[in-house]
Amino acid sequence: MKNNFLSFQYGTTFYKIPFDDIHFIQVKDDYCTIVAGTYHCWMKITLQELMELLPQQQFEQVHRFYTVNLRRVTGVGKNFLLVQDQRIPVSRNLSPAFNEQFIKSCS
């Protein structure tokens, strides 16, 4: 049975975050910042490694530095999307894949 949460350790703190609570993930330097509701937590992991831990049907990389939870997207523009009130850039190269995945998630 597959878990419905992301679990990891950062420093001396252990985290267990339900996938549905994750809004988006932002990459900066060697860390991924996981934004879930009002809190942020950091993982020293590459985005590619982190993407392997997330359900593919729920999360989509939309930019070199961003992956979003499709269930948290509240609006879509030409080169951006909204997750709650946060504007997330969408790269031209990844836009077609995101649009396809987003339409599937709305069905």
Side-chain angles (χ1 to χ4, degrees):
M1 186 170 131
K2 189 168 178 161
N3 294 329
N4 292 324
F5 53 86
L6 178 66
S7 59
F8 62 96
Q9 179 180 357
Y10 180 69
T12 59
T13 305
F14 290 91
Y15 294 91
K16 181 178 173 182
I17 305 171
F19 292 134
D20 287 339
D21 289 355
I22 298 171
H23 291 200
F24 63 91
I25 298 160
Q26 181 180 11
V27 177
K28 186 166 186 181
D29 299 324
D30 294 337
Y31 291 87
C32 287
T33 303
I34 300 168
V35 178
T38 58
Y39 61 91
H40 300 97
C41 50
W42 296 265
M43 286 180 78
K44 189 169 175 82
I45 189 172
T46 67
L47 184 57
Q48 183 178 358
E49 291 170 332
L50 183 54
M51 290 293 293
E52 292 175 9
L53 302 175
L54 301 171
Q56 291 180 339
Q57 71 280 6
Q58 188 173 348
F59 290 88
E60 184 72 30
Q61 183 174 357
V62 296
H63 188 275
R64 185 171 136 192
F65 300 118
Y66 288 93
T67 293
V68 297
N69 183 342
L70 295 170
R71 296 177 184 168
R72 294 291 184 166
V73 175
T74 56
V76 178
K78 183 177 180 181
N79 59 353
F80 70 93
L81 56 87
L82 298 173
V83 176
Q84 308 301 69
D85 60 349
Q86 182 75 36
R87 189 175 172 139
I88 307 289
V90 176
S91 75
R92 283 180 280 181
N93 292 340
L94 296 174
S95 183
F98 165 73
N99 289 337
E100 181 180 327
Q101 193 71 353
F102 182 69
I103 290 168
K104 284 180 186 176
S105 74
C106 292
S107 310

